[in-house]
Amino acid sequence: SQQGEEDPQALSIQEGENATMNCSYKTSINNLQWYRQNSGRGLVHLILIRSNEREKHSGRLRVTLDTSKKSSSLLITASRAADTASYFCVGGSNYKLTFGKGTLLTVNP
Amino acid sequence: KAGVTQTPRYLIKTRGQQVTLSCSPISGHRSVSWYQQTPGQGLQFLFEYFSETQRNKGNFPGRFSGRQFSNSRSEMNVSTLELGDSALYLCASSFDGMNTGELFFGEGSRLTVL
């Protein structure tokens, strides 16, 4: 299965600071996606990076992918209180998707 | 364009009962996948349906089953409920399948088993 494991499990920062979350996975993937979940709600897609890409940007988000290390990182710049949520990564390949427990990001105003 | 709709949003059942949850995907999407989320185990994949066929299944017991109709709406059923089945059940739809692109999630059905 394509298990994503996020690190750290929890992160608390001040508004305006940058937040970096990491993800590791176990087997080869075609793409890796990051999702955000506000407490008890559904997940919202943030960004998808394909296995032949190394870096991708979307607004305040920057994602990197290192397939040799089977790892990815998500950087949120100039964080806002509204960014407070859990963040999950998941790899897509063999029709088995397993999410990790996510990184709980708290942005303090 | 309407999003993914899950019903019911909340429900309470007792041990031994069975429950059916419904998911209406975004119009035109052929894939519906289901996930169970608990504080202890995180978000776990249950199964995916694509054009009315189960395409893959996670590591859940046979008490968990599902189906997909010709209009792509999907249902999942849990029989002989156990306390540990209490969870947020999420479904997601996509056009090509859960591994090829963006997943669109519903708000979930929160099941409490007493």
Side-chain angles (χ1 to χ4, degrees), chain B residues 11-78:
Chain B
L11 67 167
I12 300 173
K13 294 285 188 179
T14 57
R15 280 181 298 174
Q17 288 187 310
Q18 66 94 26
V19 65
T20 298
L21 309 177
S22 178
C23 175
S24 293
I26 290 173
S27 178
H29 283 190
R30 298 174 291 176
S31 164
V32 173
S33 49
W34 288 89
Y35 306 85
Q36 180 196 66
Q37 187 175 33
T38 60
Q41 298 298 319
L43 195 61
Q44 296 183 286
F45 167 68
L46 280 158
F47 29 65
E48 180 197 20
Y49 285 87
F50 187 91
S51 296
E52 300 181 66
T53 301
Q54 186 180 86
R55 190 148 73 167
N56 209 8
K57 191 175 188 301
N59 298 320
F60 279 80
R63 300 186 297 108
F64 292 81
S65 62
R67 58 178 174 169
Q68 187 179 34
F69 303 95
S70 58
N71 62 358
S72 291
R73 188 178 70 86
S74 176
E75 289 181 346
M76 69 162 282
N77 183 274
V78 187

Side-chain angles (χ1 to χ4, degrees), chain A residues 31 37 41 93 95 97 101, chain B residues 37 40 45 56 98-99 107:
Chain A
N31 63 68
Q37 183 182 36
R41 308 287 299 276
S93 180
Y95 300 107
L97 280 183
K101 295 185 180 179
Chain B
Q37 187 175 33
F45 167 68
N56 209 8
M98 65 182 196
N99 282 289
E107 292 295 314

